[in-house]
Each structure stands twice: as C-alpha cells, then as structure tokens.
C-alpha cells in the first residue's frame, strides 16, 4: 500500500447518507462488519449518559435548555456513524468471460478517526479484473460503507475494501484508492485545511502489471498523482 498527502482544496461532493437507525430502544444490535466477527450491541442509554458526563467534565452545564438534548443527539449520531447497513453481495457468473478492468470511481464515504473520534470524508475508487464471478455495481458503494461505518484509520479501511472484494470474487486483480480529508488534521493540531490523504491497495494484476495499474489510475483521474 502507498500513502501520500496532498495539500489541495477539496471539491464539493455528494454524500451517501444511511437511514438513521431505530433509536427507540435502549439497546441496538449492530451488524457484524466481517464474517464471523462478534459485535457487542450498542447501549444507547449508557452512551447518552457518557456524553452528558463528558460535557459536564468539560465545564458545560447540561441543564441549559441549549444542551438538554445534546447528549441524546450526540449518542444517536455516533450510533448512526458506527452502524453499517447489512447487505448481501449480489454476484453473477461471468458466463461471457469478461476479463477487462471494471472501475467504479468517485464513491463518497464518511468514517470516524479512531484516534480522535472526528470524521474523515472523501471518495473511494474501486476496480477489479473479473474472475469467475461479477459483482453488482451498486454493491461497491455498499462495501465501502460497510467498512467505513466504524472507528477507522484510512489505511486499514482501504485494505478491508480490497480484501473483501478479493475474498468474495477471487478476481484476477483488485485496485482500491481512497482520497479523504481528516478533520483531526484540518480543524485541530496542524489545522491544514484542504489537505487530502490518498491511500491505495493493489492486488493481483493491478499490483503486478504496470499497464493495468496505469489504466486503473487513469480511469480514477489519478494519473500523475500516484505515479
């Protein structure tokens, strides 16, 4: 995997927004984000109380009418951002033996930095050279969302998306590039606004064959940036 940072103003983009989870119950089951992984249910009441305690520790009066509902709202926001929508991969037999590169570029995503609990947002570019099966195109956005809705670092997220595609489809090659701006870098610390972090994960022929890799980067609009 390669990782570079570019100081460049971010362009406006559309966002994928998940449907807010049902927050009527105190405990909410979260879908596992990987086969066989066990994920503990969310304790909404405890999360709300924890936010209230944090605000109090920061010297804020949660009895204020302006903050009275803030603990609940913050807890619900984190629950939504950390709860991927379950989906089933829709694959099709590659009956016609299609073996050219397939790319879905510009998939918007939002995730949470596990070090600061601040969002990082950007676009994902995903491609693969098919093997025996093809993946429904809409599922690429679902895969990105599935792993993005967690406490993450961008490098891990990039590899998880590539690893899922490799495991599910056994393709000849996979390419994943993520570009994102991290609020933990742009609004605190160094405060480098507009800086993008670019990470990549290449598998199979996309990694080993320079021509295929260049074609993937060109279709993603990344030629000259990552070469």
């Amino acid at each position: 995997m390669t990782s570079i940072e570019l100081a460049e103003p971010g362009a406006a983009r559309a966002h994928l927004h998940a449907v807010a989870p049902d927050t009527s119950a105190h405990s909410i089951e979260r879908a596992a984000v990987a086969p066989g992984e066990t994920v503990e249910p969310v304790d909404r009441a405890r999360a709300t109380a924890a936010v209230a305690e944090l605000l109090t520790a920061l010297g804020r009066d949660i009895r204020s009418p302006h903050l009275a509902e803030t603990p609940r709202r913050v807890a619900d926001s984190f629950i939504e951002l950390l709860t991927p929508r379950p989906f089933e991969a829709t694959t099709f037999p590659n009956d016609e033996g299609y073996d050219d590169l397939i790319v879905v570029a510009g998939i918007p995503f939002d995730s949470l930095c596990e070090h600061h609990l601040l969002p990082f947002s950007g676009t994902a570019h995903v491609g693969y050279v098919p093997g025996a099966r093809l993946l429904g195109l809409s599922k690429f956005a679902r895969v990105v969302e599935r792993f993005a809705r967690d406490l993450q670092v961008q490098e891990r997220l990039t590899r998880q998306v590539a690893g899922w595609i490799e495991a599910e489809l056994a393709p000849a090659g996979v390419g994943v590039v993520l570009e994102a701006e991290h609020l933990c870098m742009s609004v605190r610390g160094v405060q480098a606004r507009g800086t993008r972090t670019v990470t990549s994960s290449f598998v199979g022929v996309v990694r080993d064959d320079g021509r295929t890799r260049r074609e993937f980067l060109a279709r993603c609009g990344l030629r000259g940036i990552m070469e």
Side-chain angles (χ1 to χ4, degrees):
M1 176 189 295
T2 58
S3 177
I4 58 176
E5 291 182 354
L6 303 170
E8 176 180 303
R13 61 183 182 84
H15 287 260
L16 278 179
H17 292 288
V19 176
D22 179 5
T23 56
S24 59
H26 290 295
S27 180
I28 300 171
E29 295 288 342
R30 290 184 59 225
V33 296
E37 181 179 353
T38 301
V39 180
E40 295 298 324
V42 172
D43 189 332
R44 181 173 178 255
R46 186 177 178 185
T48 301
V51 176
E53 176 63 23
L54 175 62
L55 289 171
T56 301
L58 292 172
R60 301 304 188 265
D61 182 4
I62 61 172
R63 295 169 299 180
S64 162
H66 301 291
L67 294 179
E69 294 298 317
T70 298
R72 176 190 58 78
R73 293 189 185 108
V74 172
D76 288 349
S77 295
F78 274 105
I79 290 170
E80 180 177 351
L81 290 170
L82 295 173
T83 305
R85 291 177 290 187
F87 78 100
E88 293 184 5
T90 304
T91 65
F92 310 93
N94 189 10
D95 292 333
E96 298 181 7
Y98 191 87
D99 60 0
D100 288 323
L101 184 65
I102 298 171
V103 177
V104 180
I107 301 169
F109 74 90
D110 304 286
S111 191
L112 278 175
C113 166
E114 70 178 9
H115 300 139
H116 301 94
L117 299 187
L118 288 173
F120 63 96
S121 302
T123 54
H125 312 289
V126 182
Y128 75 115
V129 178
R133 299 196 67 80
L134 302 172
L135 181 67
L137 295 179
S138 68
K139 302 307 179 184
F140 285 99
R142 295 292 195 190
V143 172
V144 173
E145 182 194 75
R146 177 179 187 175
F147 293 106
R149 287 188 173 273
D150 200 353
L151 297 178
Q152 276 287 12
V153 295
Q154 186 173 329
E155 296 87 345
R156 181 196 306 133
L157 174 58
T158 308
R159 283 187 169 172
Q160 285 177 328
V161 174
W164 186 95
I165 296 171
E166 183 183 19
E168 288 289 325
L169 299 178
V174 180
V176 177
V177 174
L178 268 56
E179 307 176 79
E181 180 173 359
H182 294 244
L183 288 188
C184 59
M185 184 175 179
S186 61
V187 302
R188 59 163 300 281
V190 69
Q191 297 184 14
R193 294 183 181 275
T195 300
R196 290 184 301 143
T197 298
V198 182
T199 52
S200 64
S201 183
F202 302 136
V203 179
V205 295
V206 181
R207 178 194 61 211
D208 300 331
D209 182 68
R211 180 179 177 182
T212 303
R213 185 170 61 255
R214 287 191 295 272
E215 180 183 355
F216 170 73
L217 294 174
R219 293 196 193 182
C220 297
L222 296 169
R223 284 288 297 272
I225 294 178
M226 297 190 65
E227 292 183 320

